[in-house]
């Protein structure tokens, strides 16, 4: 079956080389029993690829089930996947088959595999290697013949380095990797997808079909689409329902597109992926605060040098944090009480405020305090909206929630 026939059958729109290559790999691997790992951002359509693999395989007449590992609580995911025996835990009033038992002979799609708990990962690894599993609360080993197709929007290799994902399971899942491109990486497909969605919604809601003018089309193509196809579909639905004019202009389109956050508000926190040595948000904070400490140390050293050598005050003229430090010439030598003939060091003037003594201020260098301060500022800036604050800090909303609990920050 050629690629275009696959697109027609599964409703896939687009002709970008990256999309065609991903479909070609899916078709080639479908008729085998190899484990497949589908990588891609949220909203790119990873589940469609799992359906293609199942539909073109020898298992196509057997069951197919999609399981979102991130949506199942940690305490029940083992029971959901592998089943449990009666009385194995509170509420287990009867025995229950798990997905690996009910889908025997078919295909199971494990979406968001990166969210799977470590204990469940060990059970899954055993299924992949031996086809064996044990129900929760049982000691009897059971066999299953299930093909596993997994998907993730995370970097699993990075999570293995952080100790959050089993390395042996990663390499077992990654037998055949398929990368589904993000929508912004296939810009030539955006107008086609928007046109398809707008026509569908016009028919659904009995409204006139809408058109984009040239400027609106350019805005649509160059928009980042962080939510990918899912976000594009939602925008098309809103415009189809709420637009009063058949021809949508650039100004009309901008009313429906969310405002994009500024990129450079926290440069080191907003783009951690630009530095390969940053493995977590805590590493970023370490780097930021060490650089700040280094700058403060250099400024202190310059002050001490001038105080110890007054002649340096003639040339001292430097900028620090947008404030100009002006040092005035040293006063003529005057005899001291000890008769040395040396003049004492003269005070340094900071802008227009005279400093007639030196006092070292002890500042806090606690990473936790600085991290807490940044989180409080971000929440205040975004009026308590966690999602926006997390985006501004360059961390996930889940990590922000954990930090709020850790530092006992009231929202």
């Amino acid at each position: 079956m050629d690629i275009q026939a696959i697109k027609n059958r599964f409703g896939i729109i687009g002709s970008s080389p990256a999309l065609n290559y991903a479909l070609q790999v899916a078709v080639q691997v479908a008729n085998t029993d190899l484990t497949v790992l589908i990588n891609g951002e949220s909203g790119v359509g990873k589940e469609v690829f799992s359906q293609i693999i199942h539909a073109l395989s020898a298992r196509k007449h057997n069951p197919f089930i999609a399981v979102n590992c991130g949506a199942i609580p940690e305490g029940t995911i083992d029971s959901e996947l592998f089943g449990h025996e009666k009385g194995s835990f509170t509420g287990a009033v009867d025995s229950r088959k798990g997905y690996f038992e009910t889908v025997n002979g078919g295909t199971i799609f494990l979406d968001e595999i990166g969210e799977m708990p470590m204990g469940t990962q060990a059970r899954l690894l055993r299924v992949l290697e031996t086809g064996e599993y044990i129900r929760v609360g049982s000691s009897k080993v059971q066999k299953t013949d299930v093909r596993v197709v997994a998907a993730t929007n995370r970097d699993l290799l990075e999570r293995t380095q952080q100790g959050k994902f089993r390395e042996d399971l990663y390499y077992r899942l990654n037998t055949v990797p398929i990368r589904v491109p993000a929508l912004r990486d296939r810009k030539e497909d955006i107008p086609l997808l928007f046109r398809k969605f707008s026509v569908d919604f016009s028919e659904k809601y009995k409204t006139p079909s809408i058109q984009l003018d040239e400027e609106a089309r350019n805005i649509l193509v160059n928009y980042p689409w962080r939510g990918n196809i899912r976000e594009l579909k939602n925008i098309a639905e809103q415009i189809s329902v709420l637009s009063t004019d058949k021809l949508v202009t650039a100004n009309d389109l901008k009313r429906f597109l969310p405002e994009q956050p500024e990129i450079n508000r926290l440069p080191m926190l907003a783009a951690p992926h630009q530095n390969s040595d940053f493995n977590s948000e805590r590493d970023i904070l370490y780097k930021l605060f060490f650089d700040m400490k280094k700058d403060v140390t250099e400024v202190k050293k310059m002050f001490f040098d001038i105080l110890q050598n007054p002649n340096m005050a003639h040339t001292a003229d430097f900028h620090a944090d947008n404030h100009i430090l002006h040092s005035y010439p040293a006063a003529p030598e005057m005899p001291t009480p000890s008769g040395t003939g040396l003049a004492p060091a003269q005070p340094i003037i900071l802008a227009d405020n005279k400093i007639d003594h030196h006092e070292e201020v002890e500042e806090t260098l606690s990473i936790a305090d600085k991290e807490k301060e940044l989180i409080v500022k971000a929440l205040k800036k975004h009026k308590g909206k966690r999602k926006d604050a997390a985006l501004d800090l360059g961390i996930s909303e889940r990590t922000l929630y954990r930090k709020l609990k850790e530092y006992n920050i009231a929202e």
Side-chain angles (χ1 to χ4, degrees):
M1 185 177 293
D2 62 7
I3 299 300
Q4 189 57 48
I6 295 293
K7 292 179 181 178
N8 294 338
R9 178 177 175 182
F10 291 92
I12 298 175
I13 298 175
S15 57
S16 71
L19 176 64
N20 290 339
Y21 178 74
L23 288 171
Q24 182 180 350
V25 174
V27 172
Q28 287 180 320
V29 77
N31 205 30
T32 70
D33 273 337
L34 294 174
T35 304
V36 179
L37 178 62
I38 304 172
N39 295 276
E41 297 179 6
S42 178
V44 296
K46 297 186 289 293
E47 185 171 347
V48 176
F49 281 78
S50 68
Q51 294 171 355
I52 292 173
I53 292 172
H54 175 72
L56 300 181
S57 70
R59 301 171 180 264
K60 60 185 177 182
H61 298 299
N62 294 327
F64 170 87
I65 189 170
V67 181
N68 189 327
C69 300
I72 304 177
E74 183 174 348
T76 61
I77 189 169
D78 285 353
S79 172
E80 293 288 327
L81 294 178
F82 308 107
H84 64 258
E85 295 294 340
K86 180 180 180 180
S88 56
F89 55 85
T90 303
V93 296
D94 203 353
S95 298
R96 179 186 180 278
K97 292 182 179 180
Y99 297 137
F100 277 96
E101 187 172 353
T102 58
V103 189
N104 188 23
T107 304
I108 185 168
F109 173 57
L110 299 177
D111 197 9
E112 304 299 343
I113 189 72
E115 306 297 332
M116 180 176 285
M118 294 293 286
T120 310
Q121 292 178 30
R123 287 172 171 261
L124 176 61
L125 180 63
R126 183 178 181 185
V127 173
L128 294 175
E129 292 182 339
T130 65
E132 298 178 347
Y133 69 95
I134 301 176
R135 285 184 178 183
V136 177
S138 174
S139 59
K140 180 182 177 181
V141 177
Q142 301 193 51
K143 300 284 290 186
T144 186
D145 176 25
V146 174
R147 182 182 190 175
V148 173
V149 178
T152 181
N153 60 2
R154 291 175 172 265
D155 186 345
L156 290 187
L157 188 58
E158 180 180 344
R159 288 182 69 79
T160 62
Q161 296 169 354
Q162 297 172 352
K164 298 179 181 178
F165 199 83
R166 292 180 62 101
E167 187 174 7
D168 47 4
L169 178 59
Y170 167 74
Y171 289 113
R172 189 66 180 79
L173 289 170
N174 202 37
T175 306
V176 179
I178 296 178
R179 177 162 293 279
V180 184
L183 187 57
R184 60 182 171 275
D185 295 330
R186 39 185 291 222
K187 292 185 176 181
E188 63 270 30
D189 297 337
I190 294 177
L192 296 174
L193 287 164
F194 182 83
R195 178 62 180 163
K196 172 65 166 61
F197 293 147
S198 61
V199 169
D200 290 345
F201 289 126
S202 295
E203 294 177 355
K204 178 179 180 181
Y205 298 116
K206 310 299 182 184
T207 59
S209 180
I210 59 174
Q211 300 286 338
L212 299 176
D213 66 12
E214 189 63 28
E215 188 178 356
R217 181 188 294 267
N218 291 334
I219 294 176
L220 191 77
V221 169
N222 293 306
Y223 187 76
W225 298 114
R226 290 182 172 85
N228 292 290
I229 297 176
R230 185 182 294 120
E231 183 181 8
L232 177 64
K233 186 175 182 180
N234 289 341
I235 295 297
E237 185 172 16
Q238 291 180 40
I239 297 176
S240 298
V241 174
L242 301 177
S243 178
T244 56
D245 297 325
K246 182 178 180 181
L247 181 64
V248 178
T249 64
N251 290 332
D252 295 332
L253 180 60
K254 288 178 182 178
R255 291 191 295 107
F256 295 97
L257 295 178
E259 292 184 7
Q260 294 302 301
E262 297 177 18
I263 298 176
N264 295 322
R265 285 178 293 189
L266 282 175
M268 298 190 64
L269 295 177
H273 60 278
Q274 296 177 354
N275 300 280
S276 58
D277 57 329
F278 293 154
N279 293 324
S280 68
E281 68 275 5
R282 186 170 289 272
D283 293 331
I284 300 171
L285 291 171
Y286 274 125
K287 173 67 175 173
L288 175 63
F289 296 137
F290 284 147
D291 287 347
M292 291 171 59
K293 181 180 178 182
K294 181 180 177 182
D295 293 339
V296 171
T297 302
E298 290 178 355
V299 173
K300 287 181 179 179
K301 183 176 182 300
M302 189 173 295
F303 272 114
F304 291 145
D305 289 343
I306 295 174
L307 288 172
Q308 293 173 4
N309 187 0
N311 293 327
M312 293 179 61
H314 290 282
T315 58
D317 185 15
F318 57 94
H319 293 266
D321 192 23
N322 297 327
H323 296 287
I324 302 178
L325 303 179
H326 298 286
S327 297
Y328 290 83
E333 292 188 0
M334 298 178 62
T336 60
S338 59
T340 59
L342 298 178
Q346 299 301 310
I348 298 173
I349 308 302
L350 176 59
D352 294 329
N353 299 321
K354 296 184 178 181
I355 303 175
D356 55 9
H357 67 280
H358 172 71
E359 181 179 354
E360 183 175 351
V361 180
E362 185 67 25
E363 62 173 336
T364 177
L365 296 177
S366 170
I367 297 297
D369 290 345
K370 293 294 184 181
E371 189 175 44
K372 180 178 179 180
E373 181 182 347
L374 286 174
I375 292 173
V376 171
K377 287 182 177 179
L379 287 171
K380 184 178 180 181
K381 178 179 181 181
H382 295 284
K383 300 179 180 178
K385 295 181 179 179
R386 288 186 196 164
K387 184 176 181 181
D388 294 340
L391 183 63
D392 203 355
L393 292 168
I395 60 178
S396 67
E397 192 173 353
R398 179 178 297 179
T399 301
L400 176 60
Y401 180 78
R402 177 168 54 83
K403 294 294 183 183
L404 293 176
K405 294 295 184 183
E406 179 181 345
Y407 295 130
N408 195 23
I409 300 175
E411 298 182 65

